Amino acid sequence: MKENLKVITNLSISKLIFNYRKKVRGVVENLEIESDANLHKYFVHLKSKYQEALLQANKADLHSLAEQAMEQGVISISEKAILPPSGCDRDYLSFAPYYYVNENTNPLTKSRETVQHRDSRSNPFLASISDKPKLAQVCARLHAVSLSYRDTPSNDKIEFIESQIKTWFINENTAMTPHMEFAQIMPWTGNKYGLGIIDSRWLLLAIEACALVVDKLTLETLHGFKVWLREFAKWILSSKSGLTEVARKNNRGSWVDVLLAYILLFLNEERCVALIVDHTLKNRFEIQFDNNGDQPFELTRYNPVSYSLYNYYPIKYILQIDELINSQGNREKKITMNKTISRLEAAITCHERGSIEHIDFKLSKNLNLYYPYSFAQIATFPAVMPLTSNAKTPVPNKSNTPAKSIVSS
């Protein structure tokens, strides 16, 4: 709770704490799940963008990736190296990734050593005993197989998608409990609770995967997945961890906004999404971006351009959603933000080549995993393509302002 208070005292209370959270929570708590395959217009639009991107994709590599995923089989959260403090093998467990000790021991126990912090350099040992790579694998595999199906339909792809969704989100004995109380626990400190909802950003890929094949899924599977998403959103909106993460000023707050917006769009609850989008455009941007388009909170990091890109994407998502649900609103703000984002995009073009997440995800099931928000994906956004070798590169910065200024600290 001390960390919660530390975060909160550094924020604008009126803008970040008393935001959309209370209003949206009231709606979500009473939200009834519809058992149909009707998609919000955002996902209809997104499907068309993926169809365009597939025309330029390396089809052989895409189908090979999908085949690898299906050959590996489904992933279960209950297959754990160590149990979370709850003792439940279905509770998600991960550790704050940038911490090290000389001798790797159980990170849930307090170490006699001094714990070292190495910003942006993930500890592969912590990844190897964490559920984070597994969740990332689940979502990325669903995404890759769904894309493969869109290009070349086959029953075995739908069967795999159905099986993985049921295993991770629906089945009583294997489904992840819809919370992240034990996400990104501070290792070797004796802490029992974490503040790592940002781990769940991968769910965007799972939601998109379902949207891409929504008319092929059974209504039972679709309903079960929606119920899980609703319960997870309820937890974010009612928990101390959720309060802390929504209140974050940096990329962590941005990703929670987008995740909640995605979940609610998939549940066809546009009213709440409008509140979240309005909050992000009116408040979060003013804190995160300066007049030059730089992001002060991200520039303090060990990899400043990578983290600036990392926050670029959720803001880009919010703009994309806003254009589809509120085309007449926030007009002046959208114009200003587009200019600012363009400057950041130019800077990334000159300096960023896509590697942000340093965890070796091969530690989980030995399947290569694409990072979904790298430099190479800018060209096809909002379609996030898994294979970037053939991706078209955004136009380099040709302005008079040197892009390198963004990486100064």
Side-chain angles (χ1 to χ4, degrees), residues 352-371:
E352 179 57 62
R353 290 297 176 266
S355 178
I356 300 175
E357 187 69 48
H358 302 290
I359 292 177
D360 180 4
F361 287 105
K362 290 183 181 179
L363 291 170
S364 175
K365 304 300 182 182
N366 195 32
L367 178 72
N368 289 327
L369 179 70
Y370 61 92
Y371 188 81

Side-chain angles (χ1 to χ4, degrees), residues 54 57-75 137-161 164 209 212-213 365-370 385-387:
L54 280 169
N58 185 322
K59 305 292 182 62
D61 285 352
L62 174 62
H63 297 317
S64 175
L65 186 65
E67 287 296 327
Q68 288 182 58
M70 292 188 289
E71 288 173 4
Q72 294 278 344
V74 299
I75 301 173
Q137 289 276 344
V138 166
C139 298
R141 292 181 186 195
L142 287 171
H143 190 246
V145 176
S146 293
L147 283 172
S148 179
Y149 179 87
R150 293 292 299 183
D151 181 69
T152 307
S154 65
N155 290 335
D156 60 333
K157 295 173 185 176
I158 295 299
E159 289 172 2
F160 171 82
I161 293 168
Q164 184 61 84
L212 286 169
V213 296
K365 304 300 182 182
N366 195 32
L367 178 72
N368 289 327
L369 179 70
Y370 61 92
M385 299 303 293
L387 302 162

Side-chain angles (χ1 to χ4, degrees), residues 42-55 212 320 380-385:
Y42 172 82
F43 290 108
V44 175
H45 171 76
L46 185 64
K47 287 175 71 173
S48 69
K49 291 296 183 181
Y50 270 111
Q51 285 300 123
E52 294 174 7
L54 280 169
L55 295 175
L212 286 169
Q320 184 77 23
T380 59
F381 187 88
V384 180
M385 299 303 293

Side-chain angles (χ1 to χ4, degrees), residues 14-58:
S14 62
K15 288 184 177 180
L16 288 180
I17 301 301
F18 302 109
N19 44 51
Y20 59 78
R21 194 167 177 265
K22 183 177 180 180
K23 291 182 179 179
V24 174
R25 183 176 68 232
V27 174
V28 172
E29 286 176 347
N30 298 292
L31 185 62
E32 294 186 6
I33 302 300
E34 299 177 358
S35 296
D36 58 46
N38 292 328
L39 286 176
H40 185 272
K41 60 184 177 182
Y42 172 82
F43 290 108
V44 175
H45 171 76
L46 185 64
K47 287 175 71 173
S48 69
K49 291 296 183 181
Y50 270 111
Q51 285 300 123
E52 294 174 7
L54 280 169
L55 295 175
Q56 305 298 323
N58 185 322

